[in-house]
Amino acid sequence: MKLDFSKLDGLIPAVIQDHASGRVLMVGFMNEAAFTKTLESGNVTFFSRSRNKLWMKGESSGHVLKVKSIATDCDDDSLLIQVDSLGPGVCHNGYESCFYRTYDDGAWVESERPTYDPRAIYGNSK
Amino acid sequence: MKLDFSKLDGLIPAVIQDHASGRVLMVGFMNEAAFTKTLESGNVTFFSRSRNKLWMKGESSGHVLKVKSIATDCDDDSLLIQVDSLGPGVCHNGYESCFYRTYDDGAWVESERPTYDPRAIYGNSK
């Protein structure tokens, strides 16, 4: 049973969920090589659309996502990956989850506090 | 603060999570019109890539997804929507979640039982 990478120019979305808390941490994209690398290494590896190359999450920050289980959906074109998140947060802005802003009456409002200082991890260049 | 619909030909992925259980139910795509419709109606509305039109989830099955809250990510290019799911399942194959198959040693294995009979909802045309 193969995944369907045909719908988004070779990419499928991968939802990353903390296996213990159930929190959705981020959404990334994988091409077939990234999916294979994720399976082989046990570390979530995306295809970076901005850098146009494979990107192991945590390769610079150390905030690696260890795979616990992988599910696909009925159309074989999305992944849901349960992880053990090794860092204090997955978001390069310093939050546990990239989804730290909530819609409120026409605006996106920060709905939680940061969990770490990203300048200490990424420097000032992000 | 605007969402970024530019990266996938006008679409962004929307992760649908059950607000009570934390279960990820499905991933759909929204264009700007679908997002606006979702906000206005309070019912999750996607853009159907196969039918090339807006698609309110549950419009034929009655399995509507009522919006509880909406978050976006640090890049403004994904949504995480907490919902109250009115049906016994969101998947047209009869399962609570579209993510009902888990990767196991090279194969996708059904990892849960159906929650309803899709033929009773959708007829035999599926």
Side-chain angles (χ1 to χ4, degrees), chain A residues 53-77:
Chain A
K53 64 171 195 165
L54 294 190
W55 159 49
M56 188 188 87
K57 175 66 184 165
E59 65 190 10
S60 57
S61 66
H63 300 171
V64 172
L65 301 171
K66 308 296 286 185
V67 173
K68 302 291 283 187
S69 67
I70 304 180
T72 191
D73 70 354
C74 44
D75 294 327
D76 306 309
D77 60 5

PDB file of all heavy atoms in Angstrom, chain A residues 53-77:
ATOM      1  N   LYS A  53      15.184  20.950   0.358  1.00  0.00           N
ATOM      2  CA  LYS A  53      15.998  19.782   0.705  1.00  0.00           C
ATOM      3  C   LYS A  53      15.418  19.083   1.924  1.00  0.00           C
ATOM      4  O   LYS A  53      14.558  19.630   2.621  1.00  0.00           O
ATOM      5  CB  LYS A  53      17.440  20.198   0.979  1.00  0.00           C
ATOM      6  CG  LYS A  53      17.612  21.106   2.174  1.00  0.00           C
ATOM      7  CD  LYS A  53      19.101  21.283   2.484  1.00  0.00           C
ATOM      8  CE  LYS A  53      19.287  21.875   3.872  1.00  0.00           C
ATOM      9  NZ  LYS A  53      20.649  21.761   4.365  1.00  0.00           N
ATOM     10  N   LEU A  54      15.899  17.861   2.186  1.00  0.00           N
ATOM     11  CA  LEU A  54      15.453  17.134   3.372  1.00  0.00           C
ATOM     12  C   LEU A  54      15.900  17.880   4.614  1.00  0.00           C
ATOM     13  O   LEU A  54      16.978  18.485   4.648  1.00  0.00           O
ATOM     14  CB  LEU A  54      16.021  15.708   3.381  1.00  0.00           C
ATOM     15  CG  LEU A  54      15.544  14.763   2.290  1.00  0.00           C
ATOM     16  CD1 LEU A  54      16.010  13.342   2.604  1.00  0.00           C
ATOM     17  CD2 LEU A  54      14.039  14.796   2.104  1.00  0.00           C
ATOM     18  N   TRP A  55      15.087  17.788   5.642  1.00  0.00           N
ATOM     19  CA  TRP A  55      15.315  18.544   6.860  1.00  0.00           C
ATOM     20  C   TRP A  55      14.879  17.688   8.033  1.00  0.00           C
ATOM     21  O   TRP A  55      13.702  17.524   8.273  1.00  0.00           O
ATOM     22  CB  TRP A  55      14.518  19.857   6.785  1.00  0.00           C
ATOM     23  CG  TRP A  55      14.228  20.528   8.086  1.00  0.00           C
ATOM     24  CD1 TRP A  55      15.109  20.801   9.095  1.00  0.00           C
ATOM     25  CD2 TRP A  55      12.951  21.022   8.537  1.00  0.00           C
ATOM     26  NE1 TRP A  55      14.460  21.438  10.132  1.00  0.00           N
ATOM     27  CE2 TRP A  55      13.152  21.589   9.814  1.00  0.00           C
ATOM     28  CE3 TRP A  55      11.682  21.058   7.977  1.00  0.00           C
ATOM     29  CZ2 TRP A  55      12.110  22.172  10.543  1.00  0.00           C
ATOM     30  CZ3 TRP A  55      10.644  21.634   8.701  1.00  0.00           C
ATOM     31  CH2 TRP A  55      10.861  22.185   9.958  1.00  0.00           C
ATOM     32  N   MET A  56      15.877  17.136   8.754  1.00  0.00           N
ATOM     33  CA  MET A  56      15.550  16.416   9.982  1.00  0.00           C
ATOM     34  C   MET A  56      15.206  17.435  11.047  1.00  0.00           C
ATOM     35  O   MET A  56      16.038  18.277  11.402  1.00  0.00           O
ATOM     36  CB  MET A  56      16.693  15.537  10.456  1.00  0.00           C
ATOM     37  CG  MET A  56      16.280  14.642  11.625  1.00  0.00           C
ATOM     38  SD  MET A  56      17.666  13.745  12.381  1.00  0.00           S
ATOM     39  CE  MET A  56      18.256  14.956  13.575  1.00  0.00           C
ATOM     40  N   LYS A  57      13.979  17.390  11.537  1.00  0.00           N
ATOM     41  CA  LYS A  57      13.572  18.326  12.585  1.00  0.00           C
ATOM     42  C   LYS A  57      14.518  18.158  13.778  1.00  0.00           C
ATOM     43  O   LYS A  57      14.722  17.041  14.247  1.00  0.00           O
ATOM     44  CB  LYS A  57      12.132  18.040  12.997  1.00  0.00           C
ATOM     45  CG  LYS A  57      11.630  18.859  14.158  1.00  0.00           C
ATOM     46  CD  LYS A  57      11.532  20.328  13.834  1.00  0.00           C
ATOM     47  CE  LYS A  57      11.115  21.133  15.065  1.00  0.00           C
ATOM     48  NZ  LYS A  57      11.347  22.576  14.879  1.00  0.00           N
ATOM     49  N   GLY A  58      15.097  19.266  14.213  1.00  0.00           N
ATOM     50  CA  GLY A  58      16.016  19.219  15.348  1.00  0.00           C
ATOM     51  C   GLY A  58      17.469  19.128  14.959  1.00  0.00           C
ATOM     52  O   GLY A  58      18.341  19.055  15.828  1.00  0.00           O
ATOM     53  N   GLU A  59      17.757  19.143  13.650  1.00  0.00           N
ATOM     54  CA  GLU A  59      19.156  18.969  13.235  1.00  0.00           C
ATOM     55  C   GLU A  59      20.026  20.122  13.715  1.00  0.00           C
ATOM     56  O   GLU A  59      21.207  19.938  13.987  1.00  0.00           O
ATOM     57  CB  GLU A  59      19.271  18.767  11.716  1.00  0.00           C
ATOM     58  CG  GLU A  59      18.845  19.953  10.886  1.00  0.00           C
ATOM     59  CD  GLU A  59      18.741  19.624   9.389  1.00  0.00           C
ATOM     60  OE1 GLU A  59      18.820  18.435   9.031  1.00  0.00           O
ATOM     61  OE2 GLU A  59      18.566  20.566   8.604  1.00  0.00           O
ATOM     62  N   SER A  60      19.451  21.320  13.857  1.00  0.00           N
ATOM     63  CA  SER A  60      20.259  22.418  14.412  1.00  0.00           C
ATOM     64  C   SER A  60      19.910  22.688  15.871  1.00  0.00           C
ATOM     65  O   SER A  60      20.795  23.018  16.661  1.00  0.00           O
ATOM     66  CB  SER A  60      20.093  23.695  13.575  1.00  0.00           C
ATOM     67  OG  SER A  60      18.737  24.085  13.501  1.00  0.00           O
ATOM     68  N   SER A  61      18.673  22.518  16.265  1.00  0.00           N
ATOM     69  CA  SER A  61      18.250  22.858  17.629  1.00  0.00           C
ATOM     70  C   SER A  61      18.445  21.719  18.620  1.00  0.00           C
ATOM     71  O   SER A  61      18.492  21.938  19.836  1.00  0.00           O
ATOM     72  CB  SER A  61      16.767  23.246  17.631  1.00  0.00           C
ATOM     73  OG  SER A  61      15.959  22.124  17.296  1.00  0.00           O
ATOM     74  N   GLY A  62      18.537  20.492  18.117  1.00  0.00           N
ATOM     75  CA  GLY A  62      18.532  19.329  19.003  1.00  0.00           C
ATOM     76  C   GLY A  62      17.125  18.894  19.401  1.00  0.00           C
ATOM     77  O   GLY A  62      16.954  17.872  20.069  1.00  0.00           O
ATOM     78  N   HIS A  63      16.123  19.641  18.971  1.00  0.00           N
ATOM     79  CA  HIS A  63      14.731  19.326  19.328  1.00  0.00           C
ATOM     80  C   HIS A  63      14.169  18.280  18.370  1.00  0.00           C
ATOM     81  O   HIS A  63      13.267  18.535  17.583  1.00  0.00           O
ATOM     82  CB  HIS A  63      13.874  20.584  19.314  1.00  0.00           C
ATOM     83  CG  HIS A  63      14.336  21.646  20.265  1.00  0.00           C
ATOM     84  ND1 HIS A  63      13.823  22.911  20.291  1.00  0.00           N
ATOM     85  CD2 HIS A  63      15.284  21.617  21.239  1.00  0.00           C
ATOM     86  CE1 HIS A  63      14.428  23.628  21.237  1.00  0.00           C
ATOM     87  NE2 HIS A  63      15.327  22.863  21.819  1.00  0.00           N
ATOM     88  N   VAL A  64      14.750  17.103  18.479  1.00  0.00           N
ATOM     89  CA  VAL A  64      14.409  15.995  17.578  1.00  0.00           C
ATOM     90  C   VAL A  64      13.048  15.422  17.942  1.00  0.00           C
ATOM     91  O   VAL A  64      12.637  15.432  19.111  1.00  0.00           O
ATOM     92  CB  VAL A  64      15.510  14.910  17.682  1.00  0.00           C
ATOM     93  CG1 VAL A  64      15.130  13.646  16.930  1.00  0.00           C
ATOM     94  CG2 VAL A  64      16.842  15.464  17.192  1.00  0.00           C
ATOM     95  N   LEU A  65      12.338  14.931  16.921  1.00  0.00           N
ATOM     96  CA  LEU A  65      11.042  14.278  17.109  1.00  0.00           C
ATOM     97  C   LEU A  65      11.218  12.783  16.863  1.00  0.00           C
ATOM     98  O   LEU A  65      11.425  12.355  15.729  1.00  0.00           O
ATOM     99  CB  LEU A  65      10.009  14.860  16.135  1.00  0.00           C
ATOM    100  CG  LEU A  65       9.757  16.367  16.258  1.00  0.00           C
ATOM    101  CD1 LEU A  65       8.890  16.852  15.097  1.00  0.00           C
ATOM    102  CD2 LEU A  65       9.118  16.708  17.596  1.00  0.00           C
ATOM    103  N   LYS A  66      11.170  11.989  17.933  1.00  0.00           N
ATOM    104  CA  LYS A  66      11.323  10.543  17.809  1.00  0.00           C
ATOM    105  C   LYS A  66       9.971   9.915  17.483  1.00  0.00           C
ATOM    106  O   LYS A  66       8.986  10.131  18.205  1.00  0.00           O
ATOM    107  CB  LYS A  66      11.838   9.939  19.125  1.00  0.00           C
ATOM    108  CG  LYS A  66      13.093  10.585  19.689  1.00  0.00           C
ATOM    109  CD  LYS A  66      14.297  10.433  18.808  1.00  0.00           C
ATOM    110  CE  LYS A  66      14.887   9.049  18.821  1.00  0.00           C
ATOM    111  NZ  LYS A  66      16.162   9.022  17.993  1.00  0.00           N
ATOM    112  N   VAL A  67       9.958   9.118  16.434  1.00  0.00           N
ATOM    113  CA  VAL A  67       8.703   8.510  15.969  1.00  0.00           C
ATOM    114  C   VAL A  67       8.237   7.420  16.933  1.00  0.00           C
ATOM    115  O   VAL A  67       9.005   6.529  17.287  1.00  0.00           O
ATOM    116  CB  VAL A  67       8.892   7.898  14.564  1.00  0.00           C
ATOM    117  CG1 VAL A  67       7.644   7.122  14.145  1.00  0.00           C
ATOM    118  CG2 VAL A  67       9.233   8.968  13.555  1.00  0.00           C
ATOM    119  N   LYS A  68       6.965   7.514  17.333  1.00  0.00           N
ATOM    120  CA  LYS A  68       6.347   6.447  18.129  1.00  0.00           C
ATOM    121  C   LYS A  68       5.435   5.593  17.254  1.00  0.00           C
ATOM    122  O   LYS A  68       5.415   4.378  17.386  1.00  0.00           O
ATOM    123  CB  LYS A  68       5.542   7.037  19.290  1.00  0.00           C
ATOM    124  CG  LYS A  68       6.347   7.917  20.229  1.00  0.00           C
ATOM    125  CD  LYS A  68       7.361   7.153  21.044  1.00  0.00           C
ATOM    126  CE  LYS A  68       6.691   6.410  22.186  1.00  0.00           C
ATOM    127  NZ  LYS A  68       7.712   5.787  23.076  1.00  0.00           N
ATOM    128  N   SER A  69       4.659   6.249  16.386  1.00  0.00           N
ATOM    129  CA  SER A  69       3.816   5.502  15.446  1.00  0.00           C
ATOM    130  C   SER A  69       3.419   6.421  14.302  1.00  0.00           C
ATOM    131  O   SER A  69       3.469   7.654  14.434  1.00  0.00           O
ATOM    132  CB  SER A  69       2.561   4.942  16.129  1.00  0.00           C
ATOM    133  OG  SER A  69       1.713   5.995  16.532  1.00  0.00           O
ATOM    134  N   ILE A  70       3.043   5.808  13.184  1.00  0.00           N
ATOM    135  CA  ILE A  70       2.664   6.564  11.993  1.00  0.00           C
ATOM    136  C   ILE A  70       1.364   6.000  11.456  1.00  0.00           C
ATOM    137  O   ILE A  70       1.243   4.788  11.240  1.00  0.00           O
ATOM    138  CB  ILE A  70       3.748   6.459  10.897  1.00  0.00           C
ATOM    139  CG1 ILE A  70       5.111   6.929  11.430  1.00  0.00           C
ATOM    140  CG2 ILE A  70       3.344   7.270   9.662  1.00  0.00           C
ATOM    141  CD1 ILE A  70       6.239   6.842  10.396  1.00  0.00           C
ATOM    142  N   ALA A  71       0.401   6.890  11.230  1.00  0.00           N
ATOM    143  CA  ALA A  71      -0.866   6.488  10.605  1.00  0.00           C
ATOM    144  C   ALA A  71      -1.040   7.269   9.314  1.00  0.00           C
ATOM    145  O   ALA A  71      -0.512   8.373   9.152  1.00  0.00           O
ATOM    146  CB  ALA A  71      -2.033   6.748  11.547  1.00  0.00           C
ATOM    147  N   THR A  72      -1.773   6.671   8.379  1.00  0.00           N
ATOM    148  CA  THR A  72      -2.155   7.426   7.181  1.00  0.00           C
ATOM    149  C   THR A  72      -3.671   7.467   7.091  1.00  0.00           C
ATOM    150  O   THR A  72      -4.371   6.770   7.828  1.00  0.00           O
ATOM    151  CB  THR A  72      -1.537   6.843   5.903  1.00  0.00           C
ATOM    152  OG1 THR A  72      -1.728   7.772   4.826  1.00  0.00           O
ATOM    153  CG2 THR A  72      -2.185   5.521   5.520  1.00  0.00           C
ATOM    154  N   ASP A  73      -4.155   8.311   6.211  1.00  0.00           N
ATOM    155  CA  ASP A  73      -5.610   8.478   6.137  1.00  0.00           C
ATOM    156  C   ASP A  73      -6.195   7.673   4.989  1.00  0.00           C
ATOM    157  O   ASP A  73      -5.487   6.985   4.243  1.00  0.00           O
ATOM    158  CB  ASP A  73      -5.986   9.963   6.084  1.00  0.00           C
ATOM    159  CG  ASP A  73      -5.611  10.621   4.769  1.00  0.00           C
ATOM    160  OD1 ASP A  73      -4.960   9.983   3.924  1.00  0.00           O
ATOM    161  OD2 ASP A  73      -5.964  11.802   4.595  1.00  0.00           O
ATOM    162  N   CYS A  74      -7.506   7.775   4.855  1.00  0.00           N
ATOM    163  CA  CYS A  74      -8.242   6.939   3.921  1.00  0.00           C
ATOM    164  C   CYS A  74      -7.829   7.165   2.466  1.00  0.00           C
ATOM    165  O   CYS A  74      -7.996   6.281   1.630  1.00  0.00           O
ATOM    166  CB  CYS A  74      -9.735   7.174   4.083  1.00  0.00           C
ATOM    167  SG  CYS A  74     -10.177   8.915   4.239  1.00  0.00           S
ATOM    168  N   ASP A  75      -7.298   8.345   2.166  1.00  0.00           N
ATOM    169  CA  ASP A  75      -6.862   8.642   0.802  1.00  0.00           C
ATOM    170  C   ASP A  75      -5.360   8.442   0.596  1.00  0.00           C
ATOM    171  O   ASP A  75      -4.838   8.756  -0.489  1.00  0.00           O
ATOM    172  CB  ASP A  75      -7.210  10.095   0.437  1.00  0.00           C
ATOM    173  CG  ASP A  75      -8.707  10.328   0.378  1.00  0.00           C
ATOM    174  OD1 ASP A  75      -9.428   9.392  -0.004  1.00  0.00           O
ATOM    175  OD2 ASP A  75      -9.142  11.437   0.717  1.00  0.00           O
ATOM    176  N   ASP A  76      -4.663   8.001   1.615  1.00  0.00           N
ATOM    177  CA  ASP A  76      -3.206   7.771   1.525  1.00  0.00           C
ATOM    178  C   ASP A  76      -2.435   9.048   1.196  1.00  0.00           C
ATOM    179  O   ASP A  76      -1.346   8.979   0.609  1.00  0.00           O
ATOM    180  CB  ASP A  76      -2.869   6.713   0.455  1.00  0.00           C
ATOM    181  CG  ASP A  76      -3.616   5.417   0.659  1.00  0.00           C
ATOM    182  OD1 ASP A  76      -3.578   4.882   1.775  1.00  0.00           O
ATOM    183  OD2 ASP A  76      -4.254   4.944  -0.313  1.00  0.00           O
ATOM    184  N   ASP A  77      -3.005  10.202   1.554  1.00  0.00           N
ATOM    185  CA  ASP A  77      -2.328  11.442   1.173  1.00  0.00           C
ATOM    186  C   ASP A  77      -2.072  12.391   2.349  1.00  0.00           C
ATOM    187  O   ASP A  77      -1.827  13.593   2.138  1.00  0.00           O
ATOM    188  CB  ASP A  77      -3.097  12.162   0.052  1.00  0.00           C
ATOM    189  CG  ASP A  77      -4.511  12.536   0.458  1.00  0.00           C
ATOM    190  OD1 ASP A  77      -4.879  12.326   1.620  1.00  0.00           O
ATOM    191  OD2 ASP A  77      -5.247  13.047  -0.418  1.00  0.00           O
TER     192      ASP A  77
END
